[in-house]
Amino acid sequence: MTGFFQLYVFILAGFVGFLVISRVPHLLHTPLMAATNAISGISLVGSIVLAGGQYGKLPTILGAIAVACAMTNVVGGFIITDRMLNMFKRRDDAPAVPGATGTTDGAA
């Protein structure tokens, strides 16, 4: 009976999480990515503890799988965040202000 209740909570949490994330405005995606990277880092530490502990064969295997999943999530989050931040960088070939070359107009 306990396993059924845990499965129910897991499915309900996934459904609620999907609904919450799908309703986030586009302006908040970058801060949300930073928060999810932090949460993934916490779950990575927990999965390393589980994988490295002497709790038995099954917890070690599940911990190793959790380490792989959390690490993929952390690295992917940083790659996406880096891409998003690169969208806001200026190009080096274009001046920051049109006509701003360091001299005044008409001066040689």
Side-chain angles (χ1 to χ4, degrees):
M1 192 65 160
T2 304
F4 179 73
F5 181 71
Q6 290 173 345
L7 180 64
Y8 174 74
V9 169
F10 178 73
I11 292 172
L12 185 63
F15 180 70
V16 170
F18 176 76
L19 289 178
V20 168
I21 295 299
S22 65
R23 288 182 169 77
V24 172
H26 293 289
L27 286 173
L28 296 178
H29 276 280
T30 302
L32 183 64
M33 284 297 296
T36 56
N37 282 342
I39 293 169
S40 294
I42 293 169
S43 64
L44 179 61
V45 171
S47 60
I48 289 172
V49 169
L50 180 64
Q54 299 294 327
Y55 300 114
K57 190 173 184 177
L58 181 63
T60 301
I61 292 170
L62 292 176
I65 292 170
V67 167
C69 291
M71 198 62 204
T72 302
N73 198 10
V74 168
V75 171
F78 280 121
I79 289 171
I80 290 171
T81 302
D82 186 53
R83 279 185 168 182
M84 290 173 66
L85 291 175
N86 282 335
M87 290 175 21
F88 296 104
K89 287 186 178 178
R90 293 183 187 154
R91 292 189 178 141
D92 292 333
D93 57 345
V97 178
T101 60
T103 61
T104 60
D105 291 332

